[in-house]
Structure formats: structure tokens, C-alpha cells
Amino acid sequence: MKKLLFLMILLAGSTVYASTNLNFFQARIHNINRQHLIALTQNGITIDNVRDNEAIIYLRSDQLSVLENMGISYDIRPPVRNANGYHSIESLADHLQSVETNHPDICKLYSIGKSYEGRDLWFMKISDNVLDEEDEPEVKYISSMHGDEPVGMELCLHLIDYLSDNYNVLSNTTDLINNLEIWIMPLMNPDGYVHQQRYNMQGIDLNRDFPDRVSSNHNTTEGRAVETAHVMNWAFAHSSVLSANFHTGALLVNYPYDSDYSPSKKYSATPDDELFQKLSLSYSSLNPPMYNSPYFDRGITNGVQWYYAYGGMQDWNYIWLGCNEVTIELSDDKWPPFSTINSFWDDNQDAMLNYISWALRGIRGVITDSETNMPIDAVIRIIGIDHDIYTDPDVGDYHRILLPGIYDIEFSAEGYLTKRKTNIVVTDGNAARLDIRLTHQSCLNTIESAIIILKAMSGVAVDDNLLRFDINDDGTVGLMEAIYAMRLSANSISQ
Ligand code: ZN
């Protein structure tokens, strides 16, 4: 009974919270600088776009005093939201289900959970052998985590149709489906979309809600929005290597980091900065209006270079999952008329296809136990790039996107001997394959015990410092070399 009462209070509390906190509106602020923006962010006001010395922000009426105290002039922007023609929640589900029905060999639709108000979060998987997890890179597109930014939702549906209709028709499309596991979530914030608002129905901005090394440095779902938690749990159970989230309100590709420990940086580079620029250009260069942006050089920007945002999904993907994610802003107009969607598709189709193909570059392989051949939960480290990636422990496959060059790579796993491969050549074509077998420590212990017994049996004094044995390329231990080394060592002592 006590439990029930507590639950009722909790529910009542959340209803009050929701209803009092959902009166967000959009404003344009003028004559601002970076210090203003940092102060606004620290006061819980959301920056949505910055251009020259103006910014678009979201705030509640009780936060207007923050602007007034700082002497910032503003004008309230009435929302322009014409849902005519856009998919409804119901027609979105129907559309996805019919694609799955028509292409069951390559399409599998999942609901990864329900929104705060109980709507499904649909995630479509497109791949050959779609029910299996294979040695293939997983890529993902997630759109409309802001409910008032539905262009990406429509483009994701276009992409799902295009991929499924052109399988075994166009070779490029067939290759992508055969070689990747493609996940597409057209609508991460269904409640926000229904209510035509940015936030979810707990009043949370989902793209400020993820773990962040500065503001929320714990990689758990505790205290986060329902929708955030579902996406996090899905990601924990998968191993995507490349992804993007789609928005509107600007026209560009934004790459990590969005935040920094120091609030005064002008640019916050990841250890993969050059790669992120190339990945961003792989998208923007195929979208002419984006690439020719008068505001952003070649249509790309570093997150912090644009404005600080804490708790974004892209930084979380990169920092905690080892997945390269960017944020793609599709349209200056947040909610353009539906009649323009086809021209948006024309501008983005090639870019969307090209971007995910980058998951096939760099190095790849499967990491297994040298004795059991079972896949291993392992870490892949490129020497000189301070950013680890991980195998998918279900299959043991890893996919490390890299720019062309020559790399030294270290493979490690708990309980295993670390292995290093040097001078690995990466081209701008398909990923170099490096399957790795790691030797478990216990295997090494067995060899060491064997040597101790041999030493005892031979009755010869042996200099342990001279005892050497190598780990073979296939991960096995060179026992014969060990015995040979022991004999050499024994000889050197007896001489
Ligand atoms: Zn957005």
C-alpha cells in the first residue's frame, strides 16, 4: 500500500512537473557574444542556433528575467508548424510496417521501447541476413529527437524506401545492404512531434540529456528521459561504429566535441579531429546548399566552434561508445512546408548514402581466443590516437574507421596478452582486414608451469632471465621455442 501511495505521489508530481515546465517558447536574441551564450547555457536556457551575433534560444517565461538581467534584447518567435502532408504517428508506423512486410528478407522493424506517453520508438534494421548479427559494421541514423524538427523523419522514410526498393537493383545500394547493418530511427521524440514541441513530455531536451564528460559524467540511464534511456540501452546492446542525428534550424554538419571542460575554448577537437572533418565533408560535399553555406565553411563546423551544448547525443556516442557520430542540420526552416520535402531528399540522398559507406573504411577484423576461437570483448587502440574502440562481443568483430596512412595498432582484452601489429597500411578503399587471436593469461601460466617442471626434471640450473618464448602470430605460444630457449640457457650456464 505504501508503495502504491508513493507511486501515486510520483505520478502526480510528474504531471505537475510536465504541465508547468512545458511552456517553452522560442526567442531570437540580439548583440550577443560567447560569454552571453555560456551564461545562458549555465542558466538552463537552450541555445538552438547561433549566427553572427544573433542566436535562437528556447526558454520558459520564468527564465525571461535571465535575459533582462543580462541586458539582452530579444523578440519572441511564434512557432511556424504546418503539419499538413507530414506523416502522422499512425501513418509513420503503417509505413514502416508495410516496408517490413514487403521486404522481410532485408528489413526488420523493432520498437525499442515506449515514449513517456506510451508511443513506440521505431527502429528499422536493414541488412542481408537481417535477423543475424554478422561481422559487419553497424551504422545508425536517428532523427527528430526534437519534436518540432520533422524534416529528418521524412528523409529517413525516403531512405528506408530507397534502400529497400533498390536491393538487388542498384549495385551500390545492394553493397551497402550486404556489407552493413543499417539502423534507422525516423522519430526519437514521438510525443514532442505530436505536441509540436522541441521537448519530450517530461519537459526534457533529449539532445541535452545524454551523459556528458563535463555536466553529467556517469554513463547510466539514471535520471534521464524515458526516450534517452531507451536509445542508451539499445546502444549498450549493440556496437555501432558510425552514426548521425538529424535536426533542422540550420544547414550544416556539426562534429564533436559539443562541450569542453574549459568554457572559453573556440574549438574543441577530438583525437579524431581530421577524420571528423572528412566524415562531415563526406556529407556536406554532396549537399550543394549545405556545402555552399555563406555562414559555415563548406557547410561543416566543430560543435564548440558553433556554440557549447552539454549532454548532446554525438559526444556521448564518441566518448562512451567509440562510435563516430555527427549532428546534421538539414534546413534553416525548422518546419518547412511538406511540399519542399522532395527537394530536401534530392539534396540529401547521395549524402546519406555516402556517409554510412565510410564505416567500411579503415581496419576491421574479428578478435578471438587463440584456444577456444570464441569472440572476445576487446579494445582496439591506434598508437598516437588517444581514442579506443571496442569489439562487438557477440561476434568479436571490430571496425575502426581511419584515414589513409600507416598505423601501429594494439589489441588488448582483460586476462589476455596484449598484441601489437605494426606498419598496417590503410588506403581510401575497403578496410584492411586484421583478424586477431589473443592468448589468455591462463594459457601462458600453463606454459610457464611446464617449463618449471622441465627445469626440475632436467636438474640443470637455469637462468630464468634467459628464458624467452614468443606469442605466435596466430596467438599460440611457441612452446618449442621455449624449450629450445631453456636448453640454450642451460647450456650457457653449464659452459
Ligand atoms: Zn534539434
Side-chain angles (χ1 to χ4, degrees), residues 336-350:
F338 184 76
S339 57
T340 60
I341 290 296
N342 280 341
S343 80
F344 279 110
W345 172 240
D346 289 344
D347 289 337
N348 288 278
Q349 172 185 328
D350 292 344

Side-chain angles (χ1 to χ4, degrees), residues 8-23 116 201-203:
M8 285 167 67
I9 292 168
L10 196 72
L11 283 174
S14 62
T15 310
V16 171
Y17 175 69
S19 62
T20 52
N21 281 280
L22 287 180
N23 301 316
Y116 185 74
M201 288 309 283
Q202 296 162 286

Side-chain angles (χ1 to χ4, degrees), residues 48 145-146 148-149 198 207 246-248 329 334:
D48 184 56
M145 58 203 299
H146 293 145
D148 59 345
E149 301 175 6
R198 179 183 182 91
N207 208 25
F246 292 108
H247 297 255
T248 52
E329 300 276 355
K334 254 190 188 296

Side-chain angles (χ1 to χ4, degrees), residues 1-207:
M1 187 61 200
K2 218 174 189 177
K3 234 179 192 170
L4 184 67
L5 192 68
F6 173 71
L7 190 69
M8 285 167 67
I9 292 168
L10 196 72
L11 283 174
S14 62
T15 310
V16 171
Y17 175 69
S19 62
T20 52
N21 281 280
L22 287 180
N23 301 316
F24 292 96
F25 53 88
Q26 206 188 76
R28 184 195 296 272
I29 54 176
H30 312 282
N31 299 319
I32 44 98
N33 56 37
R34 285 180 79 85
Q35 275 60 47
H36 289 135
L37 294 174
I38 289 161
L40 293 178
T41 304
Q42 285 165 348
N43 277 285
I45 292 172
T46 302
I47 315 292
D48 184 56
N49 191 358
V50 180
R51 191 181 279 178
D52 300 328
N53 59 352
E54 289 192 340
I56 303 296
I57 62 172
Y58 281 81
L59 73 174
R60 300 184 308 265
S61 50
D62 61 289
Q63 292 171 317
L64 277 173
S65 58
V66 175
L67 296 184
E68 279 149 16
N69 291 340
M70 289 171 67
I72 295 176
S73 64
Y74 62 89
D75 53 79
I76 308 295
R77 291 177 28 120
V80 181
R81 293 162 189 165
N82 184 353
N84 279 347
Y86 280 88
H87 279 81
S88 65
I89 287 289
E90 295 74 21
S91 67
L92 172 76
D94 288 348
H95 189 124
L96 293 170
Q97 278 154 0
S98 75
V99 172
E100 184 192 37
T101 305
N102 293 332
H103 304 277
D105 48 337
I106 53 163
C107 294
K108 177 71 188 159
L109 183 63
Y110 297 88
S111 169
I112 64 160
K114 303 267 188 192
S115 67
Y116 185 74
E117 288 189 336
R119 298 181 177 91
D120 286 299
L121 267 59
W122 296 114
F123 222 158
M124 180 72 92
K125 182 184 177 189
I126 305 180
S127 188
D128 63 333
N129 304 316
V130 70
L131 298 178
D132 300 330
E133 210 174 307
E134 299 183 282
D135 168 18
E136 293 175 346
E138 291 183 63
V139 298
K140 65 180 184 288
Y141 279 143
I142 294 184
S143 185
S144 306
M145 58 203 299
H146 293 145
D148 59 345
E149 301 175 6
V151 172
M153 174 186 80
E154 296 294 338
L155 296 193
C156 281
L157 290 175
H158 271 271
L159 181 64
I160 288 169
D161 289 348
Y162 180 89
L163 288 170
S164 55
D165 288 343
N166 287 306
Y167 186 61
N168 287 335
V169 177
L170 300 175
S171 62
N172 283 355
T173 306
T174 309
D175 286 349
L176 289 178
I177 293 172
N178 284 342
N179 295 319
L180 296 171
E181 294 176 2
I182 305 165
W183 291 85
I184 302 172
M185 180 183 286
L187 182 56
M188 181 178 158
N189 183 2
D191 298 349
Y193 179 57
V194 167
H195 296 280
Q196 303 195 354
Q197 64 180 31
R198 179 183 182 91
Y199 300 82
N200 87 336
M201 288 309 283
Q202 296 162 286
I204 296 171
D205 184 331
L206 301 182
N207 208 25

Side-chain angles (χ1 to χ4, degrees), residues 345-365:
W345 172 240
D346 289 344
D347 289 337
N348 288 278
Q349 172 185 328
D350 292 344
M352 288 174 107
L353 295 167
N354 188 47
Y355 181 76
I356 53 175
S357 75
W358 272 68
L360 296 164
R361 299 188 185 210
I363 56 158
R364 67 183 296 182

